[in-house]
Amino acid sequence: MRVKREIYKGIEYVSLSNLPIDQKEKIATTFDRDKIIKILKDGVLLSGCIQYADYLAWFEEHFQAITIRPSHVPQATSEFKLSIK
């Protein structure tokens, strides 16, 4: 599940500390460290943030829903057909 974005002075971002555990573990090994930013918010330096657009791109690449589709769906035979009356 994607996390909600935060916005400060027009910067859309997510804090790595607010990610679910599975995402924290995956992002630590798969995310480009050069894209991790710091934001000075109300005199407090927030480190470990990433821009929301970068997070979305990363999320789509690493957490896409997997759809399983059967390669062959057998046709119903006469003994398995349902009769609706």
Side-chain angles (χ1 to χ4, degrees), residues 16-85:
L16 297 176
S17 62
N18 291 338
L19 295 177
I21 294 292
D22 60 337
Q23 290 184 33
K24 282 181 189 178
E25 291 171 352
K26 185 87 170 174
I27 212 164
T29 59
T30 59
F31 193 76
D32 183 358
R33 294 295 211 186
D34 292 333
K35 293 185 177 185
I36 297 175
I37 61 173
K38 296 176 184 176
I39 299 172
L40 185 60
K41 182 178 179 182
D42 301 326
V44 176
L45 186 62
L46 305 175
S47 58
C49 299
I50 58 176
Q51 290 190 29
Y52 192 65
D54 292 335
Y55 168 74
L56 288 179
W58 173 85
F59 185 88
E60 291 300 318
E61 183 178 341
H62 295 282
F63 280 91
Q64 278 183 336
I66 299 171
T67 304
I68 300 173
R69 296 179 187 178
S71 59
H72 173 69
V73 178
Q75 296 293 326
T77 61
S78 60
E79 62 187 25
F80 292 110
K81 288 184 180 176
L82 296 175
S83 63
I84 301 173
K85 297 181 181 180

